[in-house]
Every structure is written in C-alpha cells, then in structure tokens.
C-alpha cells in the first residue's frame, strides 16, 4: 500500500524539491555578496527571489510578477545579469507549466523577451551586444518551449486520469443500475407469486366453505389445492427473498451484486405444471400449441408465462370454478401469439372476486417491453378473451390496444 505524505497540503517530494531550488538560488545570491555589483543589496534581491520561488506551484503568476519586478529593479540599478537571475527562468518555466491559462505563459514570455533586451543593453564594452542578446534569447526560448512541452504532457496525463475516473464512475453507475434493475425484476416476480397464489387460495377457500356441507370430498380437494398452492408460493417467495437479501460480492462502488445460483427464470417448459395447478383449482383448461417453438430469450419466455398465468387467474376469479378455458400458443417465423379464452360459465365465487394486483396493466407493461400488442375484452357469446402478440424480432413501433 502506498502512503501519500504531505506537508502543508502538498506532496512532500514537491515541497522538498521547491525548497532545494530556492536554496540553490539563495546560495547563488549569497556567494557573490562581496564581489558582485550591488553587493549585499543585490544579494537581498536574490534572497527575495528565492523566497518567492517557494510558492511557484501554488501561485505561478504571482511568483512570476514578483521575480520579474525584482529583476527590473536590478536592471534599473545597473547591476547587470547576476547568477541568481536563474530565478527568472525558473519563474518563467513555472508560469508556463502550472498556470491555469496558457495565455499567462505567453504574456510572461513576452515580458521575458523585453527583459532579454534590457539585460543585453547592459553588456560590458568589448562584448558584442547582439551576440549577448541572441544567447539570452536562445536560453529563455528553450526554457519556455521545454515548459510548454511539459505542460502539454501534464495536461494529457491529467485528461487520461480524468477519463479513467469517469469510466470508473460510469462502470460503478452501470453496476448499481444493473443491481437495481435486477432487484426491481425480482420484486415484480415476488408480487406475481403473491398475487396469483393468493387469488387461487382465496377462490378455493371460498369454494371449500361453500361445499363443506354439500360435498365434503370436493371441499377436501379444494383445501388440498389451497395447501399445495400456498406451499409452492412459499417456496418461491423464499427463493426470491433470499436473492433480495443476498449481500454477494461487491462491485467497485461497494454495491452488492445479486447472485443466487438457485434463482431461476420461469420458462415455457413449466407451463404444463402451471396449467395442472389451475386444473386442480377447478378450471377446465385445454391447451393447444401450433407451429414450431423457436428458442426464445429468457425474458420473452417469462413474459409468455406470466401472461398465461395472469389470464388463468382472472378466469378463475371472474368466470369461476368449472369454467372452460382454452389456452393457445401459436408460433410463426416472426411472432408468438398467446390466446386465452374462457366461456364465463363457471360457478361464481362466494363473496367478491379477490384482486390479483395490476392485472391487465401489468400484462400490457410486460408485452410493451417486447414491442408487442395486447387485446383483451368480453366475447359476444359470453366469457372473456385475451390475446398477446409478441414479435420475435424487435419492431420499430409499439402498439397497445385497449379493448
């Protein structure tokens, strides 16, 4: 594990480097105090430059202004370029590299160009003026270009880091969204389990109470259906609640990832068991399959299963025990059709029909997800019919027909 050490809120290595740079400038200023032009006064200017350089990373523009002003005072005093004037180059490098805007670095470069001319003007007699100016210009220009290159690379690295952080945040957000979506789906499945099972149990319990004295054997069968339905619902509820409670491995953001090897999606292979349960509940269910069943996506299989389950539950609640129900699955090359028709001739339930939940709204929502159509309504000859058409390939338009 890497330990990040800081001093005054700054990395310790950066602080140590800046202190070393300032100490070097201070040493240049003090070394020639006895024999340089200006003497100790010039050394004081060098010391002030050295102190200013301590803040070159945090306030590069201000440091450049201070160092440039001190250098101008030195030129006005006629002391000429001295060793500690390397601080001017360091300040120029800092403002180009650390300045918030490159415009500040360009302005500092222009000021430095003027300083080069002023410094060259104090060239001692016998030395070529333009040669000195050319030398100062080459050194200053090289420092400026190096600083610009380092600034470009630094900003590039920072952009890569920001992009990596953004991608990491997006991955965390996608993970959290996936977890939330899975939990929402499981919650909906839990609602379906409770709503449909409770509807069947209530109808059977009312029938058992009604037939208890007239036909004890049929009442006993109804009570058995209540027990079997409740037991199956409880088992599935335990599995679904177990998934919701699963802490599982965490993603990078600390969100729990839902994972339960026992959790399974309901498939069309389980439709016979569903139909058998409704036959036990008292419906006379006939099922027909036409066409060759292709391999359907798991979500589409679950939609077909839930549409049949909801339609049979409604038939049991509203048509009553003993109603004739025909379930048809028709497969073509581009669509699967689910049709459930009842004759409405069953025995009415004792008391008001129990509510199974969202009913048609829930089915419409599921069918619309797959760009399908849903029609439902009473038949002219009595009873109720429902038809869902689910395209096997996504179509551009979504149609929901309200009967």
């Amino acid at each position: 594990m890497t330990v990040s050490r800081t001093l005054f809120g700054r990395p310790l290595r950066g602080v140590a480097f800046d202190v070393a740079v300032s100490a070097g400038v201070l040493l240049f200023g003090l070394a020639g105090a006895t024999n340089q032009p200006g003497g100790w006064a010039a050394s004081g200017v060098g010391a002030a430059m050295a102190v200013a350089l301590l803040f070159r990373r945090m306030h590069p523009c201000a440091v450049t202004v201070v160092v440039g002003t001190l250098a101008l005072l030195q030129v006005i005093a006629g002391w000429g370029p001295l060793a500690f004037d390397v601080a001017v180059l360091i300040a120029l490098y800092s403002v180009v590299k650390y300045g918030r805007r490159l415009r500040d670095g360009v302005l500092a470069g222009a000021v430095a160009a003027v300083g080069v001319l002023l410094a060259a003007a104090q060239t001692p007699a016998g030395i070529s003026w333009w040669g000195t100016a050319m030398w100062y210009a080459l050194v200053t220009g090289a420092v400026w270009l190096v600083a610009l290159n380092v600034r470009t690379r630094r900003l590039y690295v920072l952009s890569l880091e920001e992009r990596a952080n953004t991608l990491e945040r997006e991955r965390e957000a996608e993970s959290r969204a996936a977890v939330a979506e899975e939990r929402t789906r499981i919650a909906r499945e839990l609602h379906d389990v409770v709503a449909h099972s409770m509807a069947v149990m209530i109808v059977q319990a009312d029938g058992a109470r009604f037939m208890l004295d007239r036909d004890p054997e049929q009442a006993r069968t109804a009570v058995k259906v209540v027990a079997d339905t409740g037991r199956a619902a409880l088992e599935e509820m335990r599995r679904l609640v177990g998934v919701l409670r699963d802490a599982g491995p965490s993603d990078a953001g600390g969100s729990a990832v839902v994972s339960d090897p026992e959790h399974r999606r309901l498939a069309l292979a389980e439709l016979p068991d569903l139909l058998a349960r409704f036959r036990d509940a008292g419906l006379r269910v006939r099922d027909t399959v036409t066409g060759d069943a292709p391999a359907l996506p798991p979500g589409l299989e679950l939609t077909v299963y839930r549409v049949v389950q909801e339609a049979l539950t409604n038939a049991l609640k509203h048509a009553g025990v003993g109603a004739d129900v025909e379930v048809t699955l028709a497969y073509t090359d581009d669509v699967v059709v689910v049709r459930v028709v009842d004759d409405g001739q069953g025995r009415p339930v004792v008391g008001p029909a129990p509510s199974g939940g969202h009913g048609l709204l829930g089915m419409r929502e599921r069918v619309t997800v797959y760009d399908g159509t849903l029609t439902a309504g009473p038949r002219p000859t009595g009873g109720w019919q429902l038809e869902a058409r689910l395209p096997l390939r996504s179509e551009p338009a979504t149609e929901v027909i309200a009967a």
Side-chain angles (χ1 to χ4, degrees):
M1 182 177 65
T2 303
V3 178
S4 179
R5 299 181 179 180
T6 60
L7 183 64
F8 304 119
R10 296 170 54 193
L12 185 58
R13 291 181 57 183
V15 173
F17 183 79
D18 289 344
V19 170
V21 169
S22 298
V25 173
L26 180 62
L27 182 62
F28 283 140
L30 297 178
T34 56
N35 55 7
Q36 67 185 359
W40 285 102
S43 296
V45 172
M49 290 183 177
V51 173
L53 291 180
L54 290 173
F55 307 96
R56 67 187 186 92
R57 296 177 191 264
M58 296 182 295
H59 308 287
C61 293
V63 169
T64 303
V65 170
V66 171
V67 172
T69 302
L70 292 174
L72 179 61
L73 292 177
Q74 176 184 340
V75 171
I76 294 175
W79 297 333
L82 298 174
F84 58 77
D85 284 331
V86 68
V88 176
L89 299 178
I90 296 173
L92 177 64
Y93 176 90
S94 301
V95 74
V96 175
K97 179 180 179 181
Y98 299 112
R100 293 184 179 180
R101 298 166 298 185
L102 183 59
R103 182 178 63 185
D104 298 332
V106 173
L107 181 60
V111 174
V114 175
V116 164
L117 296 178
L118 294 177
Q122 296 185 347
T123 302
I127 301 178
S128 173
W129 176 87
W130 64 268
T132 303
M134 184 66 69
W135 167 250
Y136 288 162
L138 288 176
V139 173
T140 304
V143 170
W144 196 93
L145 291 175
V146 169
L148 178 62
N149 181 64
V150 174
R151 175 192 177 89
T152 302
R153 292 179 60 86
R154 174 172 170 267
L155 294 179
Y156 176 71
V157 171
L158 289 177
S159 67
L160 290 181
E161 292 177 353
E162 179 61 26
R163 187 179 305 174
N165 292 335
T166 301
L167 291 176
E168 184 68 21
R169 289 193 295 268
E170 290 178 353
R171 283 194 295 268
E172 292 176 3
E174 290 174 357
S175 298
R176 288 192 294 268
V179 171
E181 180 180 0
E182 179 70 6
R183 289 180 179 270
T184 300
R185 186 191 64 79
I186 293 172
R188 185 195 302 189
E189 296 303 308
L190 187 59
H191 164 268
D192 289 341
V193 170
V194 174
H196 297 301
S197 300
M198 292 299 293
V200 173
M201 293 168 66
I202 291 173
V203 170
Q204 291 300 306
D206 285 342
R209 184 181 64 179
F210 181 74
M211 299 298 296
L212 187 59
D213 295 328
R214 300 183 182 183
D215 191 344
E217 184 62 30
Q218 187 173 354
R220 187 178 297 109
T221 301
V223 172
K224 181 179 182 300
V225 171
V226 171
D228 292 343
T229 303
R231 192 174 295 111
L234 182 61
E235 179 182 354
E236 189 166 356
M237 285 173 60
R238 283 175 175 171
R239 181 170 61 250
L240 293 173
V241 172
V243 175
L244 289 174
R245 290 178 175 176
D246 182 18
S250 297
D251 61 12
S255 301
V257 177
V258 178
S259 96
D260 184 353
E262 296 184 357
H263 178 63
R264 54 176 174 75
R265 291 180 183 269
L266 296 170
L268 293 182
E270 301 181 49
L271 267 181
D273 295 335
L274 176 67
L275 300 180
R277 289 199 297 271
F278 278 96
R279 291 189 183 105
D280 292 340
L283 292 179
R284 299 173 182 175
V285 182
R286 301 188 308 275
D287 61 291
T288 305
V289 177
T290 62
D292 296 328
L296 301 179
L300 189 57
E301 285 197 35
L302 178 61
T303 297
V304 173
Y305 184 96
R306 289 305 188 194
V307 167
V308 174
Q309 185 183 44
E310 180 68 38
L312 291 176
T313 302
N314 289 340
L316 182 62
K317 289 191 299 181
H318 301 291
V321 176
D324 288 325
V325 183
E326 183 175 356
V327 178
T328 303
L329 290 181
Y331 298 98
T332 64
D333 293 337
D334 57 356
V335 69
V336 54
V337 180
V338 183
R339 185 179 298 108
V340 181
V341 180
D342 69 77
D343 62 359
Q345 300 300 315
R347 295 192 303 273
V349 297
V350 178
S355 173
H358 298 292
L360 290 177
L361 291 178
M363 281 192 284
R364 282 197 175 98
E365 180 186 355
R366 288 182 180 273
V367 171
T368 301
V369 169
Y370 290 94
D371 294 334
T373 63
L374 177 70
T375 58
R379 302 171 62 203
T381 58
W384 189 270
Q385 64 181 2
L386 179 144
E387 181 179 287
R389 301 179 65 87
L390 296 162
L392 299 181
R393 292 183 295 273
S394 179
E395 298 175 356
T398 298
E399 180 184 6
V400 178
I401 304 175

